[in-house]
Amino acid sequence: MNRNFTSILASILVCLSFGFLAGCGGSSSTPPPPTPTIAISATSGSGQTVNVGDAFTNMLVATVTSNGIAASGVTVTFTPVPGSVGQSCTPSATTATTASDGTASTTCTANSTPGTYSVMAAVTGATTTAGFTESNTAPRVLVFYVNGLEDSAAYGPGPVYYAIAGAVGFDLSGNVIGGEQDYNDASGLTSPDEPTTPDVINPKGSSMTVDTSTGTGTLVLDVSASNPGVGVAGIETFAVQFINASHALITQFDGSATSSGSFDLQTASSGAGGNFAFTLSGLDTTDAATVAYGGVFSNTSSTIHGTYDENDFGNVLVGNTLTATDNGVGAGVYGRGSITGFTDPNDGNAPISLVYYIVGPEVLRIIDVDYEDALVGSAYGQGNATSFDSTALARDVFGILDNTEDAGFAAAGQLVAANAAAGTFSATFTGEGDDDEGGIVMATGTPGGVAGNYSFSTIVLGYGSMTGITGLGSIHTLGLYATDPTLNLIDPNNTTATNLGAALVLEMDDFAQGTGVVVPQGTIASDGSDLNNSYGFGAQAYCGDGSFPTPNVGWEFDFVGQGTFASLVFTTGTGGPPTPVDISDPFASFILGTADAYTAVPIAGTAAAPDAAGRYTFPSAAPFAVGPVGGAGGPTVDFTVVMYEAGPGLVFSIDEDALSEWLGTFQEMSASSLNAMHVKRGPLVKSQANPKR
């Protein structure tokens, strides 16, 4: 056989045997099959919220498809992506194999840090991952707000207005496990990433200890990573006085600043809809003016409409239209939301950025977070009311305090409505009151010495005013904004008190920009025997004898503490180990040239029996004596204190001396609820420590 023929035949047979005839000289070809399209999606389990340390209720389920058809037997990897402060969860398994329907799942257990974070699901071959958004929350969250004066380096150094609002999360052992706050002085220390991002409270440097026998304690918040300029190198210390497990008085207590405010259990972290009354007070640095606002608004589907008044250093504008947007609380777990669209009518309707923290469905703490103005205040719901007529006031007690930057006046007293009737919207009132204006006592509780008119709008829900006021010094006009008659304006979570409802007020004259409350007055025992209780108490004081820093001395001190009235005698335990009373005095009012924060300061005094209006005084023979301050050799200062009792459990106090004025409250304590608090137990303070900056 021819060798060439044999070689050709062999080659043909080889090609045929491997099926490559076309490749051996043919002209057609078959393309390889296409690569399948792999996709993964988050099917269910996203958007859950649980307490720290708890497992999520629902599994995290991802679905894998290949060319749109469920892919079984595929390995899915679940990877938590921690949030900014380490919030995350631990999967029960980091990998899972898809079932016949293409699904794979895992469970996840929250770690010990509150916050929002992601869990990503991935599969080989997919171009994208699937994301689950989850949140850990604290078993207990308390919302706080304060305002006062800081010792600001921007003023040489010297005093400047500041405000803080925030929320602190606690576990069931009383450990701080996170939180956030907004700080604003409009003078260089505003939280750096406003309005979108608050200061983060780092649990590692934060704590709270409370003596549950007295309710007195210390709160330490570490925001040094976010805002190192506030407090002492970013560490803020507060003295707290718990009235019950859900409510405390609070003052900054670290020498960097002094302030007063409230610290309240959060009962809702989303949803700020409905009708509200509000007041705000603070500072506008563009014209170095104190400013205050008050009004009412409705929040429907995040659209805000309302009517409000402004007092900008005596430039009063009433009946301004409010149109704004509630941007909601977003993905946060601390109930922080924001409002855009609020404006300053006295400044060409310049926008003001507001942030709020939800205390409950009808209580918001609000702070302005702009860099050139600083405001703080509250909004209180109006409940299901469809109208507020003249019967919204009856027999009431009021307390009003000027803006802390201005420090112009403090006033308290009683009002009794006359000619009020259902279906009528205006009436008159009489009463008595005390008013101290910069050390000059303008009113001293003359029975029947206060009179005026009040009215509410027939169109704008709860929007009103008090006019023609006489007998209360320079106070002649107040904005009046009615609140839910079942809401407690002093202790928002206490709905069993007798002093529920009434209104917020805004001073509308040209001498000051104060804000305050009007609350119903209960029955007062003529001998004062209904005072016989233990109280948490505190006050924000303005003084004319500050002596620090040089040369721009400040003019505020604040205090909180616990004491007892028995047969009109008030004591904080001077006969034995002192019950702690904390005085924040960074501007050296008590001891010349010595700026300090004093603990365990005794206070004692004996009140005279009340008059018919529930007004108590401390006679000169047994004054309201504070001290010794700073130890046994320190001074004792006698204050001229007047009290108006709103009813069993709540008393307003006012100081009316030439060199000081204050407004404060005594709030009846609930021992049983204090014992049930989830807090770190702290011992009684046994000596007067003097923390310095």
Side-chain angles (χ1 to χ4, degrees):
M1 183 178 292
N2 185 282
R3 289 185 177 180
N4 289 335
F5 174 78
T6 302
S7 298
I8 293 172
L9 179 60
S11 297
I12 292 173
L13 291 174
V14 170
C15 287
L16 287 174
S17 66
F18 286 96
F20 293 151
L21 181 59
C24 296
S27 61
S28 62
S29 64
T30 301
T35 302
T37 300
I38 306 298
I40 186 169
S41 60
T43 308
S44 64
S46 186
Q48 299 182 77
T49 299
V50 297
N51 283 340
V52 294
D54 288 352
F56 286 96
T57 303
N58 301 315
M59 302 185 78
L60 281 58
V61 181
T63 299
V64 179
T65 60
S66 176
N67 293 332
I69 300 172
S72 63
V74 177
T75 299
V76 176
T77 301
F78 292 91
T79 305
V81 181
S84 59
V85 292
Q87 65 268 32
S88 186
C89 68
T90 302
S92 57
T94 57
T95 60
T97 302
T98 57
S100 59
D101 61 355
T103 62
S105 60
T106 190
T107 59
C108 218
T109 299
N111 70 2
S112 61
T113 305
T116 300
Y117 54 93
S118 298
V119 177
M120 307 307 296
V123 64
T124 301
T127 57
T128 61
T129 57
F132 301 82
T133 300
E134 313 296 357
S135 297
N136 306 343
T137 191
R140 274 177 66 90
V141 174
L142 276 76
V143 173
F144 74 99
Y145 78 129
V146 296
N147 76 101
L149 294 180
E150 67 180 12
D151 185 5
S152 170
Y155 282 77
V160 67
Y161 176 87
Y162 84 108
I164 317 174
V168 187
F170 297 88
D171 65 18
L172 293 179
S173 297
N175 300 298
V176 175
I177 56 175
E180 56 194 27
Q181 70 168 38
D182 297 84
Y183 188 111
N184 196 5
D185 66 354
S187 300
L189 290 181
T190 304
S191 298
D193 297 317
E194 298 290 6
T196 57
T197 305
D199 299 335
V200 174
I201 296 171
N202 186 343
K204 292 183 178 179
S206 303
S207 64
M208 185 171 74
T209 56
V210 177
D211 185 332
T212 54
S213 66
T214 64
T216 304
T218 301
L219 173 69
V220 178
L221 301 179
D222 180 358
V223 295
S224 58
S226 301
N227 201 354
V230 304
V232 180
I235 307 296
E236 300 165 333
T237 302
F238 299 88
V240 295
Q241 177 60 56
F242 276 88
I243 309 301
N244 52 56
S246 301
H247 171 61
L249 304 175
I250 183 172
T251 181
Q252 191 154 355
F253 199 65
D254 54 29
S256 71
T258 187
S259 55
S260 287
S262 191
F263 195 35
D264 297 285
L265 180 68
Q266 185 180 76
T267 59
S269 59
S270 63
N275 298 319
F276 289 85
F278 76 95
T279 54
L280 299 168
S281 181
L283 177 67
D284 182 355
T285 60
T286 58
D287 53 5
T290 51
V291 61
Y293 300 85
V296 298
F297 65 85
S298 64
N299 185 351
T300 305
S301 301
S302 298
T303 298
I304 294 174
H305 293 289
T307 302
Y308 67 108
D309 306 320
E310 179 186 17
N311 186 345
D312 186 348
F313 205 59
N315 297 315
V316 178
L317 294 176
V318 301
N320 304 286
T321 298
L322 173 59
T323 301
T325 300
D326 176 8
N327 301 305
V329 300
V333 298
Y334 293 107
R336 179 185 186 269
S338 64
I339 295 172
T340 51
F342 190 84
T343 63
D344 178 356
N346 265 306
D347 190 17
N349 285 314
I352 296 175
S353 300
L354 299 177
V355 162
Y356 62 82
Y357 287 85
I358 298 174
V359 176
E362 286 196 277
V363 181
L364 310 176
R365 305 305 189 196
I366 305 174
I367 185 169
D368 165 19
V369 294
D370 292 306
Y371 291 92
E372 293 185 342
D373 42 74
L375 302 162
V376 77
S378 298
Y380 294 93
Q382 295 180 315
N384 297 319
T386 58
S387 176
F388 287 97
D389 58 25
S390 60
T391 62
L393 299 185
R395 183 185 180 97
D396 302 279
V397 170
F398 66 88
I400 313 170
L401 186 65
D402 194 15
N403 182 298
T404 189
E405 175 78 11
D406 194 31
F409 78 97
Q414 182 217 46
L415 304 174
V416 180
N419 307 313
T424 66
F425 291 85
S426 61
T428 61
F429 63 84
T430 59
E432 66 180 273
D434 286 72
D435 173 40
D436 185 330
E437 299 179 13
I440 301 174
V441 180
M442 304 291 287
T444 56
T446 303
V450 176
N453 313 291
Y454 71 95
S455 62
F456 287 103
S457 170
T458 59
I459 299 172
V460 182
L461 183 66
Y463 176 73
S465 63
M466 307 178 80
T467 59
I469 301 171
T470 59
L472 203 57
S474 302
I475 301 172
H476 301 298
T477 305
L478 296 170
L480 182 67
Y481 319 108
T483 62
D484 183 349
T486 68
L487 188 60
N488 191 324
L489 304 184
I490 305 298
D491 180 356
N493 293 303
N494 180 1
T495 58
T496 62
T498 58
N499 317 106
L500 303 180
L504 308 179
V505 293
L506 167 66
E507 213 291 318
M508 299 280 279
D509 296 292
D510 61 1
F511 84 105
Q513 293 75 51
T515 56
V517 297
V518 180
V519 299
Q521 185 180 45
T523 302
I524 307 300
S526 61
D527 61 356
S529 58
D530 51 2
L531 276 186
N532 294 339
N533 288 297
S534 293
Y535 294 86
F537 66 96
Q540 186 165 36
Y542 307 142
C543 60
D545 56 354
S547 58
F548 182 85
T550 302
N552 301 314
V553 298
W555 54 84
E556 179 177 348
F557 65 88
D558 299 79
F559 61 87
V560 294
Q562 186 269 342
T564 301
F565 275 103
S567 300
L568 297 174
V569 177
F570 180 75
T571 177
T572 57
T574 54
T579 298
V581 175
D582 296 328
I583 300 177
S584 175
D585 187 26
F587 302 115
S589 172
F590 283 89
I591 300 176
L592 182 66
T594 301
D596 225 323
Y598 303 103
T599 62
V601 179
I603 297 179
T606 301
D611 66 9
R615 179 181 187 266
Y616 297 78
T617 61
F618 287 81
S620 58
F624 195 84
V626 177
V629 176
T636 294
V637 182
D638 295 342
F639 289 94
T640 305
V641 173
V642 172
M643 304 188 304
Y644 283 88
E645 186 178 359
L650 177 62
V651 180
F652 287 88
S653 72
I654 179 173
D655 166 47
E656 41 190 44
D657 286 291
L659 292 176
S660 62
E661 63 193 30
W662 78 53
L663 182 71
T665 58
F666 291 82
Q667 301 177 38
E668 184 178 342
M669 296 180 63
S670 174
S672 59
S673 62
L674 285 178
N675 290 332
M677 288 175 62
H678 297 291
V679 296
K680 289 288 188 181
R681 267 61 174 177
L684 282 169
V685 177
K686 297 181 180 180
S687 61
Q688 290 189 311
N690 297 316
K692 299 185 186 299
R693 293 181 66 188

